[in-house]
Amino acid sequence: MKIELLVDNIELKALVREAIEDLGHSIENTSSVILAERNYYKDLLDKDKESTIILLINENESHHLQEALDLGVDDYINLPTNKEDIKARIRIALRTKKFVNDLDKANYDNLTQIYNRNYFDSQISHLISNSLADKSDLSLAIIDIDNFKNINDNFGHLEGDKVLQQVAQTISENIREDDLLARFGGEEFILALKTNLTTARLIADRISKNIKVKHPLTVSIGLSSLEDGDSVESLIKRADDKLYEVK
C-alpha cells in the first residue's frame, strides 16, 4: 500500500517514515492514505476526495480538531506521539480503506464497470419514494442491444464483451452525473433519469444515435415515467413492455 506523508517537522517525519516502513508500506506522492500536519489538511480536502486523511496535530492545537473532523478528516494522532501509536492508526486506516473499497467493488459490474443489478435494486426504491414525496420527475429506460446473439455467434464471446463495454461507455457519456445506470442482465442496461418522459426520449435518441462500436449495431429502448401509486415493479414493467413494443 502506498502512503503519502506531508510533514515538515524533521524528527516527526523520520518517526512516521519509520513506522510506515515497519509495516511494509512505501511512501509515495499519490496514495490512498495520507498523514498530514495541520497546515496541509484543508488543501487536501479541497483537492482529494478519495484518500483517507490522518491529521497529525499538537495537543495545544486541539481547538482546530473539531473543525478538521467536521470538514472531513478521517482520523487524527495527537502529538507528541510514538511509533507504535502511529502504526496502530495506519493499520486501522488501511483496514477501513480496504473494507470501503471491497463494498464499492461489490456495487459494480466487473465487465462494464457500471453499477450492477443489485446496486440498482438497492437504489431505485429510494428514488421512487423521493420523487413521489416531492412530486419531482423520474423516468426509466431499459436499453437492449439488438441481435446481440449474432455478435457472440459470429465473432465470439470476447468480441461480445467488448461490445458490451463500448455500449456501456456510450450510454455513460450521454447521461448526467445524477442519473443511475446499471447493467440489467445479459445485453440489457437500465437507466433511471431524474427528468420527465419528453426529456427522457431526447436522451434515449441521443444514446441511440451515438452508439459507436466495431460492428453495425442498434439498440432498442423502452421508456416509462413515474406515476402516482407506482412501485418499482410497475415502473420497470411499463418500460419493459415499451421495449418489446419497439423491438
Side-chain angles (χ1 to χ4, degrees):
M1 178 69 71
K2 297 174 180 179
I3 299 172
E4 188 170 352
L5 182 56
L6 296 175
V7 176
D8 293 327
N9 183 286
I10 295 174
E11 291 182 3
L12 178 59
K13 193 172 194 174
L15 181 65
V16 177
R17 181 183 294 274
E18 189 177 340
I20 292 169
E21 291 173 351
D22 279 0
L23 292 171
H25 302 298
S26 59
I27 298 172
E28 303 287 344
N29 290 330
T30 303
S31 61
S32 56
V33 176
I34 303 173
L35 286 90
E37 288 181 305
R38 185 174 64 83
N39 52 313
Y40 286 104
Y41 82 87
K42 286 187 179 179
D43 285 342
L44 281 174
L45 292 170
D46 288 338
K47 298 174 185 176
D48 191 330
K49 305 298 183 184
E50 302 297 328
S51 296
T52 297
I53 299 174
I54 302 175
L55 178 65
L56 300 165
I57 188 165
N58 288 304
E59 288 184 349
N60 61 6
E61 297 177 315
S62 59
H63 54 288
H64 292 290
L65 181 57
Q66 189 60 55
E67 178 192 26
L69 294 171
D70 288 343
L71 288 173
V73 165
D74 299 282
D75 199 0
Y76 65 95
I77 299 173
N78 276 324
L79 303 176
T81 187
N82 57 70
K83 186 168 69 172
E84 294 307 312
D85 191 26
I86 295 171
K87 287 162 66 174
R89 297 289 186 162
I90 292 173
R91 288 192 195 99
I92 292 169
L94 294 176
R95 283 200 301 268
T96 303
K97 192 73 178 176
K98 182 179 184 303
F99 177 73
V100 171
N101 287 344
D102 288 346
L103 280 179
D104 194 44
K105 287 178 183 176
N107 293 329
Y108 287 88
D109 175 64
N110 288 334
L111 178 64
T112 59
Q113 295 303 302
I114 61 174
Y115 288 123
N116 57 31
R117 173 71 181 271
N118 286 340
Y119 182 77
F120 182 88
D121 288 345
S122 74
Q123 298 299 307
I124 187 61
S125 59
H126 300 300
L127 290 175
I128 290 174
S129 297
N130 291 341
S131 293
L132 290 173
D134 59 23
K135 300 188 183 305
S136 59
D137 293 318
L138 181 68
S139 298
L140 199 70
I142 298 178
I143 304 163
D144 182 81
I145 302 175
D146 298 324
N147 303 309
F148 181 73
K149 185 175 182 298
N150 293 341
I151 294 174
N152 281 336
D153 291 346
N154 295 328
F155 303 102
H157 284 83
L158 289 178
E159 191 64 27
D161 286 348
K162 290 179 183 177
V163 168
L164 288 169
Q165 291 169 333
Q166 291 166 340
V167 170
Q169 182 177 345
T170 298
I171 299 170
S172 299
E173 290 171 350
N174 285 278
I175 60 176
R176 300 158 302 186
E177 284 188 12
D178 61 348
D179 295 328
L180 176 62
L181 172 65
R183 188 175 176 191
F184 202 42
E187 66 271 24
E188 286 189 342
F189 303 87
I190 192 163
L191 174 61
L193 300 153
K194 294 181 179 180
T195 191
N196 58 42
L197 192 59
T198 300
T199 304
R201 287 195 183 99
L202 295 174
I203 294 170
D205 288 343
R206 187 168 69 229
I207 290 169
S208 297
K209 291 173 183 176
N210 283 285
I211 295 292
K212 295 175 183 176
V213 297
K214 181 178 178 182
H215 310 282
L217 182 145
T218 58
V219 297
S220 296
I221 303 177
L223 295 168
S224 64
S225 63
L226 187 65
E227 299 174 359
D228 287 341
D230 256 335
S231 64
V232 173
E233 292 77 15
S234 61
L235 184 63
I236 291 176
K237 185 178 186 306
R238 286 204 308 280
D240 205 34
D241 290 344
K242 288 294 183 182
L243 174 65
Y244 282 93
E245 284 181 22
V246 300
K247 283 188 76 69

